[in-house]
C-alpha cells in the first residue's frame, strides 16, 4: 500500500531539514500509529504524503500502490485515495459544508472518470454518515470550519473521510480537542472504515485514542527519524515512561 | 506560496480563448457615417421616427456636451478617445421596425441562441405554467430587434418595449420621466448619451401591479468601431413591483469600443424596483489589447414614500468599467440597496461603486461590495453616502470586501461620507484578504484542482451578493465568475 523509503525533506523556503531518513511500510488493512514529541516532524510527514509544496523532498521516495507519488499534484494523490485529516482544519468562508462535500466528491469522481453523483444519492450518503458521526444538519449548512468548535472541526474531517472513501487515511491528532464522548464517536467512525483494502496512519500523543482504534504497529518519531517501532504495547510503555529513553537514543 | 503561485500563473495566462462570446455575426447593417455632428443626431432621430421635441432634446444635449470635458478623477488609465472615429448608429438591415418573433432574421435568432438567451416564448401547456419565464428585449448594436412576451405583459398592464417604440407609442410617459433622474448635463458621458442614444428598454408598471415575470434586456455589440449608447427607463408606479435584469456581450476585437449607457429608475410611493446586471463585455486580451470601455451612468430615484430600489451587479467584463449605480432616497422611509461583485483579471480596470443620497426622513441604505482582483488588474470601490440636512434618522450600512489573487493586482477602497444631519448613523466595514496557500492546499487535498479551488473559495466570498440575484441567474453568474478567473482550462 504505502512504502516510504529513506525519506529526507526540508522546508522549501529556508532549507531547514525536518525529515532525516524515514523508512515506513504500511500494508493493506494495517493501522499504524505514529507518536513522538512536539516538533519531531509528524505533521510534516503527513503534509509531504499529501503533497504540500512547502516542503522539498531531497532524498528517498514515497511509493503508493507500488508507484512513486512525489511528482503527483495534491489533487491527484487525493483522487488516487490519499486522505489527510488535518491537525488544524482550514476555514473556507461562505462555502457551506454541504457544498464543499459535494464539490470534493464530484471532483474526485470526475478525476477517476466516474459519473457525478445525483443530488438524491449525495444527500442519502451525507445523511447516513453525518448521522453516524453526530454531525447536525445545521452544521452542514454552515460554512466549512468557520466558527466550528475544535471537536466539530475534527468530526467534519472524519465525515469527509467517510464520504470520500480513501484507501489511505492519515489522521493527524484527530483526537486532540475531543471530549470523551466525541472521541468514541470519531473512533467508531474510523473503525467502521477499517477494511482489508484500507490502511491508516494515526498520529497521536495519547494512548486513549489507541484504546479505541487499536493499531497493528506503533512508531516513535523523533527529530525526523523513526527511532522505535513496536506493537500496540509500545504506546502503553510511552504513556508510562515518556519519550526520554528513545529521544536520547536518537541524539 | 507555491500553490497560489500556480494559480497566479494560470490566471495570468487568461486569454481571448476564455471569452466564450467573442464571435462575430456576419449580417448586413445599416450605418450612419462615422463621426459626430448635428447631422448625425438628426439622422438617428429620423431613423427612429422621433417626435420633434426629442430631436431638440438631443441637439440641446449635444451642444452642451461640446462644452464639457471628460472626467479624470477615476482610477483608470486609457489613451484619449477620438469621438469622431466612432459609428454612432448601426442596425442590422433586416431589423427595421418592430417585429414579431416569426419575422426576426434567423441569423439574429441564432446569435442569441449561441449566447444562451431564450428568445422564444415557451407555450403555456394546458394550464401548466413553465417555470423561470423571462421576457426579453434584445438590443443588437443600436436597435432593439425583438421583445418577447409583450402581449402577455400587456394583459397585466405592464409596458415593456424598446425605448424607441415607447417614444412613439407612449410619448407622454417618456416625456414625463426621461432625464428626470439623470439630467442631460449630469456628466460628460451621460450628456453624450442624451445626444446620441439609439435604443434601450422601457418599462412601465402601473399602480398596484406586481409584474408577472422577470424582465430582461440583452445588449450585444456586434459591429466594429461602433459605440453602443443605450438608454433605459423604468418606472414603477405606486405600489408596483418589478424585477429587471440586463446582460451584455461583445465580439473580441483588437480595438477598444465605447459603451456609454444611461439607466434611470423611478419608484413612486410604496413601489419597488430590483435591477440586476450581469456585465460580460469583452475584457480585452491578456496584454490589455481591445475590450469595451464601459462608462455608464445608472441612477434610481426613490421618489415616493416607502419606495425601494435595489441594484445588484456582477461585473466581470470590459477593459475599463466606470460605473456607480446610485439611489436618491427622496421619499420618506425609502430604501436603497447596492450589491456588487466586481471581478477584474488580466489588465482590466474597474472603478465602480455607488452613491446613496439620503434626502427624506427615516431613509435607509445598504451597500455590500465584493471586489476580486487577479492578474495585473486594478479594482477600485468608490462610494458616497450622504445625508441631507433634513434627512433625520438616515441609516447606512456599508461592507466592502476585497479579495486579491496574486501579487500584481490592486484593490482600493475610497469611501466618502457626508452627513449634514446629526441623527444619521452610517456604518462602514472593510476587509482585504487573499486566498491563502493553506486554503488552496486543503481544497486540493480533497481532490479539487487549483482552478476548482479558486472558484469555490471565490464563490464563498461572493455568496452574500449572489443570493440577491434572481434565482435563475445566480447559477449563471457563479459560472461566469469562475470562467473570468480561469486561466488555461485544466
Ligand atoms: N512550513 C514550515 N515553516 C517553518 N517551519 C516549519 C514548517 N513546517 C514545519 N516546521 C518546523 O518543523 C518542525 C516539525 O514540525 P511538525 O509540525 O511536523 O511537528 P509535529 O511532530 O507535528 O509536532 P506537534 O506534535 O506539535 O504537532 C517544527 O520545528 C516546525 O516548527
Ligand atoms: Mg503536528
Amino acid at each position: 500500500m504505502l512504502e516510504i523509503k529513506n525519506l529526507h525533506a526540508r522546508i522549501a523556503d529556508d532549507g531547514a531539514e525536518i525529515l532525516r531518513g524515514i523508512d515506513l511500510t504500511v500494508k493493506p488493512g494495517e493501522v499504524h500509529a505514529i507518536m513522538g514529541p512536539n516538533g519531531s516532524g509528524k505533521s510534516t510527514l503527513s503534509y509531504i504524503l499529501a503533497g504540500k509544496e512547502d516542503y522539498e523532498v531531497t532524498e528517498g521516495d514515497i511509493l503508493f500502490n507500488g508507484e512513486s507519488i512525489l511528482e503527483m499534484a495534491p489533487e491527484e494523490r487525493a483522487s488516487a485515495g490519499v486522505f489527510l485529516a488535518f491537525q488544524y482544519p482550514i476555514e473556507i468562508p461562505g462555502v457551506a459544508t454541504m457544498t464543499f462535500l459535494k464539490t470534493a466528491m464530484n471532483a474526485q469522481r470526475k478525476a477517476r472518470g466516474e459519473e457525478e453523483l445525483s443530488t438524491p444519492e449525495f444527500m442519502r450518503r451525507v445523511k447516513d454518515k453525518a448521522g453516524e458521526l453526530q454531525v447536525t444538519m445545521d452544521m452542514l449548512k454552515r460554512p466549512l470550519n468557520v466558527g466550528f468548535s475544535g471537536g466539530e472541526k475534527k468530526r467534519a474531517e472524519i465525515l469527509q473521510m467517510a464520504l470520500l472513501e480513501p484507501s489511505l487515511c492519515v489522521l493527524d491528532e484527530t483526537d486532540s480537542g475531543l471530549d470523551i464522548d466525541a472521541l468514541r464517536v470519531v473512533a467508531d467512525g474510523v473503525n467502521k472504515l477499517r477494511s482489508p483494502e484500507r490502511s491508516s496512519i494515526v498520529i497521536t500523543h495519547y494512548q486513549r485514542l489507541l484504546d479505541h482504534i487499536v493499531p497493528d504497529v506503533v512508531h516513535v518519531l523523533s527529530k525526523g527519524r523513526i527511532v522505535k517501532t513496536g506493537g500496540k504495547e509500545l504506546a502503553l510503555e510511552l504513556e508510562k515512561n515518556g519519550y526520554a529513553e528513545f529521544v536520547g537514543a536518537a541524539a | 506560496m507555491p500553490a497560489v503561485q500556480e494559480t497566479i500563473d494560470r490566471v495570468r495566462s487568461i486569454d481571448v480563448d476564455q471569452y466564450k462570446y467573442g464571435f462575430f455575426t456576419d449580417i448586413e447593417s445599416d450605418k450612419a457615417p462615422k463621426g459626430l455632428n448635428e447631422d448625425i443626431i438628426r439622422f438617428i432621430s429620423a431613423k427612429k421616427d422621433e417626435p420633434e421635441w426629442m430631436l431638440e432634446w438631443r441637439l440641446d444635449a449635444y451642444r452642451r456636451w461640446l462644452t464639457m470635458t471628460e472626467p479624470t478623477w477615476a482610477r483608470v488609465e486609457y489613451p484619449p478617445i477620438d469621438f469622431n472615429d466612432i459609428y454612432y448608429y448601426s442596425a442590422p438591415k433586416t431589423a427595421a421596425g418592430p417585429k414579431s418573433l416569426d419575422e426576426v432574421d434567423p441569423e439574429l435568432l441564432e446569435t442569441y441562441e449561441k449566447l444562451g438567451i431564450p428568445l422564444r416564448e415557451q407555450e403555456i401547456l394546458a394550464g401548466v405554467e413553465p417555470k423561470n419565464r423571462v421576457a426579453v428585449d434584445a438590443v443588437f448594436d443600436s436597435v432593439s430587434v425583438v421583445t418577447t412576451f409583450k402581449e402577455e405583459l400587456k394583459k397585466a398592464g405592464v409596458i415593456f418595449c424598446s425605448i424607441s417604440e415607447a417614444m412613439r407609442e407612449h410619448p407622454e410617459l417618456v416625456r414625463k420621466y426621461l432625464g428626470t433622474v439623470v439630467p442631460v448635463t449630469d456628466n460628460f458621458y451621460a450628456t453624450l448619451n442624451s445626444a446620441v442614444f439609439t435604443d434601450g428598454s422601457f418599462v412601465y408598471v402601473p399602480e398596484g401591479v406586481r409584474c408577472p415575470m422577470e424582465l430582461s434586456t440583452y445588449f450585444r455589440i456586434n459591429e466594429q468601431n461602433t459605440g453602443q449608447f443605450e438608454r433605459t427607463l423604468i418606472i414603477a408606479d405606486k405600489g408596483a413591483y418589478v424585477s429587471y435584469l440586463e446582460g451584455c456581450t461583445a465580439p473580441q476585437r483588437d480595438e477598444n469600443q465605447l459603451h456609454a449607457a444611461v439607466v434611470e429608475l423611478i419608484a413612486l410611493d410604496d413601489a419597488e424596483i430590483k435591477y440586476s446586471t450581469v456585465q460580460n463585455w469583452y475584457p480585452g486580451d491578456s496584454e490589455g489589447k481591445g475590450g469595451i470601455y464601459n462608462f455608464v451612468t445608472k441612477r434610481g430615484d426613490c421618489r415616493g414614500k416607502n419606495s425601494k430600489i435595489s441594484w445588484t451587479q456582477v461585473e466581470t467584463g470590459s477593459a475599463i468599467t466606470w460605473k456607480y449605480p446610485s439611489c436618491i432616497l427622496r421619499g420618506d422611509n425609502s430604501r436603497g440597496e447596492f450589491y456588487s461583485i466586481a471581478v477584474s483579471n488580466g489588465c482590466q480596470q474597474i472603478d465602480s461603486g455607488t452613491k446613496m443620497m439620503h434626502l427624506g426622513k427615516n431613509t435607509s441604505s445598504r451597500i455590500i461590495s465584493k471586489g476580486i482582483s487577479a492578474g495585473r488588474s486594478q479594482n477600485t470601490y468608490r462610494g458616497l453616502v450622504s445625508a441631507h440636512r433634513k434627512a433625520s434618522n438616515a441609516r447606512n450600512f456599508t461592507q466592502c470586501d476585497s479579495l486579491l489573487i496574486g501579487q500584481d493586482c490592486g484593490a482600493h477602497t475610497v469611501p466618502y461620507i457626508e452627513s449634514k444631519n446629526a441623527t444619521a448613523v452610517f456604518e462602514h466595514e472593510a476587509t482585504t484578504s487573499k486566498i491563502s496557500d493553506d486554503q488552496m492546499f486543503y481544497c486540493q487535498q480533497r481532490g479539487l484542482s487549483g482552478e476548482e479551488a479558486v472558484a469555490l473559495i471565490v464563490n464563498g466570498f461572493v455568496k452574500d451578493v449572489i443570493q440577491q440575484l434572481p434565482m435563475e441567474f445566480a447559477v449563471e453568474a457563479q459560472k461566469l465568475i469562475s470562467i473570468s478567473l480561469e486561466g488555461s482550462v485544466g
Side-chain angles (χ1 to χ4, degrees):
Chain A
M1 166 78 43
L2 178 72
E3 266 180 277
I4 302 176
K5 293 177 175 171
N6 189 31
L7 186 70
H8 289 253
R10 61 183 185 198
I11 295 164
D13 276 349
D14 62 9
E17 188 167 50
I18 310 287
L19 302 186
R20 306 152 194 255
I22 291 196
D23 287 284
L24 177 67
T25 301
V26 182
K27 298 205 187 78
E30 285 183 348
V31 173
H32 287 227
I34 298 181
M35 306 182 82
N38 294 131
S40 56
K42 303 181 298 293
S43 293
T44 302
L45 175 63
S46 72
Y47 284 144
I48 291 173
L49 284 173
K52 198 173 190 190
E53 297 180 38
D54 298 17
Y55 307 96
E56 201 182 305
V57 172
T58 51
E59 225 185 301
D61 206 348
I62 302 173
L63 305 183
F64 183 57
N65 297 327
E67 281 178 48
S68 174
I69 56 169
L70 289 182
E71 296 302 316
M72 284 164 72
E75 64 268 29
E76 292 172 324
R77 300 184 196 198
S79 302
V82 177
F83 182 93
L84 169 61
F86 284 61
Q87 183 175 0
Y88 305 107
I90 307 293
E91 298 184 357
I92 313 286
V95 178
T97 302
M98 193 79 100
T99 307
F100 186 86
L101 293 172
K102 193 170 183 190
T103 310
M105 286 168 80
N106 282 331
Q108 293 202 9
R109 294 178 74 88
K110 199 175 87 189
R112 291 192 293 256
E114 297 163 15
E115 288 268 302
E116 281 202 359
L117 280 178
S118 69
T119 301
E121 175 59 16
F122 165 75
M123 288 306 294
R124 197 187 57 74
R125 292 191 192 190
V126 172
K127 281 201 180 129
D128 224 32
K129 302 291 182 202
E132 285 171 14
L133 291 161
Q134 298 178 12
V135 171
T136 60
M137 211 48 184
D138 171 59
M139 226 174 101
L140 291 172
K141 285 182 189 155
R142 282 163 58 189
L144 182 64
N145 293 326
V146 178
F148 284 15
S149 74
E152 286 169 342
K153 283 184 184 170
K154 296 302 171 79
R155 270 185 285 150
E157 292 290 288
I158 300 307
L159 174 61
Q160 293 178 54
M161 186 167 97
L163 288 167
L164 292 169
E165 303 180 321
S167 53
L168 176 66
C169 309
V170 183
L171 291 92
D172 192 357
E173 294 199 27
T174 301
D175 52 337
S176 61
L178 294 181
D179 63 37
I180 295 165
D181 294 335
L183 182 72
R184 184 164 300 121
V185 169
V186 165
D188 286 350
V190 174
N191 284 332
K192 270 225 168 90
L193 284 170
R194 274 180 103 147
S195 84
E197 298 83 42
R198 185 173 285 130
S199 313
S200 300
I201 295 175
V202 180
I203 297 170
T204 183
H205 285 293
Y206 305 105
Q207 160 60 30
R208 56 168 204 177
L209 176 69
L210 304 180
D211 285 340
H212 297 283
I213 306 172
V214 183
D216 299 299
V217 187
V218 176
H219 308 274
V220 178
L221 188 69
S222 171
K223 299 186 182 132
R225 280 196 197 96
I226 289 179
V227 292
K228 175 85 184 169
T229 296
K232 60 175 187 278
E233 63 292 341
L234 176 58
L236 288 166
E237 206 177 304
L238 289 169
E239 180 101 326
K240 211 156 72 201
N241 304 328
Y243 294 117
E245 180 189 343
F246 310 107
V247 172
Chain B
M1 195 211 299
V4 170
Q5 187 57 47
E6 200 180 307
T7 317
I8 297 163
D9 293 341
R10 285 209 198 113
V11 169
R12 187 176 285 143
S13 68
I14 184 181
D15 197 2
V16 287
D17 306 347
Q18 298 309 307
Y19 190 71
K20 310 277 195 286
Y21 310 96
F23 63 90
F24 166 72
T25 308
D26 194 2
I27 194 162
E28 251 196 296
S29 60
D30 188 4
K31 280 189 208 153
K34 229 183 209 181
L36 186 54
N37 53 51
E38 294 202 0
D39 286 342
I40 295 287
I41 291 167
R42 286 179 213 283
F43 175 94
I44 294 171
S45 190
K47 272 280 169 203
K48 305 209 155 280
D49 226 344
E50 283 176 0
E52 185 60 26
W53 63 265
M54 197 60 237
L55 175 62
E56 285 311 317
W57 202 79
R58 287 174 180 278
L59 289 172
D60 178 48
Y62 175 65
R63 288 168 198 143
R64 284 166 182 266
W65 179 73
L66 289 174
T67 68
M68 296 167 87
T69 47
E70 272 184 82
T72 52
W73 44 262
R75 196 186 178 108
V76 294
E77 276 172 42
Y78 54 96
I81 298 172
D82 181 355
F83 289 94
N84 275 314
D85 195 31
I86 297 174
Y87 290 105
Y88 287 84
Y89 182 87
S90 168
K93 271 225 165 90
T94 47
K99 295 259 181 189
S100 80
L101 262 178
D102 339 326
E103 292 172 291
V104 176
D105 188 333
E107 193 82 44
L108 283 174
L109 285 180
E110 202 179 305
T111 301
Y112 282 91
E113 205 151 290
K114 247 164 129 179
L115 295 170
I117 297 154
L119 281 192
R120 298 183 195 284
E121 301 177 5
Q122 302 104 303
E123 305 289 316
I124 299 179
L125 300 164
V128 184
E129 290 268 331
K131 52 182 181 182
N132 300 342
R133 286 195 314 156
V134 179
V136 179
D137 183 21
V139 177
F140 196 83
D141 287 334
S142 306
V143 294
S144 164
V145 290
V146 71
T147 309
T148 61
F149 289 108
K150 255 162 104 166
E151 286 311 307
E152 196 171 332
L153 287 166
K154 208 171 177 181
K155 277 183 220 149
V158 175
I159 303 170
F160 179 42
C161 62
S162 73
I163 195 141
S164 310
E165 189 181 337
M167 233 149 354
R168 291 187 300 264
E169 310 286 324
H170 310 281
E172 68 302 335
L173 284 172
V174 176
R175 210 168 174 176
K176 182 167 173 192
Y177 291 106
L178 189 74
T180 63
V181 187
V182 178
V184 168
T185 52
D186 191 77
N187 69 73
F188 184 83
Y189 288 104
T191 307
L192 175 63
N193 174 287
S194 302
V196 303
F197 74 88
T198 42
D199 223 333
S201 300
F202 176 82
V203 178
Y204 174 77
V205 187
E207 191 167 338
V209 171
R210 196 180 163 88
C211 186
M213 64 180 90
E214 291 282 335
L215 304 183
S216 71
T217 303
Y218 276 92
F219 296 99
R220 173 81 177 162
I221 299 180
N222 191 56
E223 273 300 321
Q224 203 155 0
N225 293 321
T226 301
Q228 193 175 53
F229 303 91
E230 92 261 4
R231 184 110 196 172
T232 294
L233 178 58
I234 299 177
I235 302 134
D237 212 322
K238 290 177 185 165
Y241 169 85
V242 62
S243 169
Y244 175 94
L245 180 120
E246 64 167 353
C248 27
T249 57
Q252 53 198 50
R253 298 186 186 287
D254 288 347
E255 67 282 349
N256 297 107
Q257 277 174 289
L258 179 62
H259 172 256
V262 172
V263 174
E264 297 178 281
L265 312 182
I266 295 138
L268 302 183
D269 290 356
D270 306 301
E272 179 175 349
I273 302 175
K274 190 173 162 60
Y275 191 106
S276 315
T277 302
V278 177
Q279 187 266 106
N280 187 23
W281 295 117
Y282 177 54
D285 71 6
S286 52
E287 298 306 311
K289 199 166 187 204
I292 302 287
Y293 291 164
N294 191 33
F295 300 159
V296 169
T297 305
K298 292 184 166 172
R299 198 171 300 152
D301 188 356
C302 285
R303 207 163 278 182
K305 62 177 167 43
N306 308 319
S307 56
K308 179 176 169 187
I309 288 179
S310 175
W311 298 99
T312 304
Q313 61 173 21
V314 178
E315 303 279 320
T316 60
S318 297
I320 302 177
T321 299
W322 179 99
K323 149 175 198 203
Y324 315 88
S326 302
C327 296
I328 303 167
L329 303 168
R330 200 184 302 275
D332 290 347
N333 309 316
S334 61
R335 178 167 173 85
E337 293 175 343
F338 174 74
Y339 298 100
S340 171
I341 299 170
V343 183
S344 59
N345 194 355
C347 296
Q348 284 176 281
Q349 304 176 63
I350 299 182
D351 194 299
S352 182
T354 184
K355 287 191 270 186
M356 292 291 173
M357 289 159 280
H358 294 257
L359 306 182
K361 293 182 179 48
N362 306 316
T363 49
S364 63
S365 60
R366 184 176 160 88
I367 299 171
I368 310 283
S369 163
K370 305 274 179 177
I372 300 152
S373 340
R376 284 175 285 155
S377 67
Q378 295 295 325
N379 200 326
T380 302
Y381 167 81
R382 190 181 300 277
L384 168 69
V385 179
S386 68
H388 186 265
R389 215 164 27 82
K390 291 179 182 156
S392 48
N393 300 316
R395 294 283 178 276
N396 167 267
F397 175 75
T398 298
Q399 168 97 43
C400 277
D401 298 322
S402 306
L403 184 69
L404 296 164
I405 303 176
Q407 325 284 330
D408 303 328
C409 52
H412 319 276
T413 303
V414 192
Y416 301 94
I417 290 179
E418 290 170 15
S419 178
K420 298 206 172 89
N421 185 303
T423 61
V425 179
F426 293 164
E427 288 173 80
H428 180 94
E429 287 175 13
T431 66
T432 300
S433 54
K434 288 189 164 215
I435 294 184
S436 73
D437 291 328
D438 285 342
Q439 286 176 321
M440 289 295 292
F441 175 65
Y442 186 83
C443 293
Q444 288 175 285
Q445 206 301 303
R446 299 306 188 240
L448 280 68
S449 67
E451 278 174 10
E452 288 169 328
V454 169
L456 185 77
I457 293 167
V458 166
N459 278 331
F461 176 73
V462 300
K463 196 187 79 188
D464 296 348
V465 176
I466 291 282
Q467 284 173 342
Q468 300 296 327
L469 282 173
M471 253 246 279
E472 45 273 62
F473 300 108
V475 178
E476 275 312 300
Q478 245 164 344
K479 269 193 220 145
L480 183 60
I481 293 166
S482 312
I483 291 169
S484 317
L485 288 169
E486 227 170 60
S488 53
V489 183

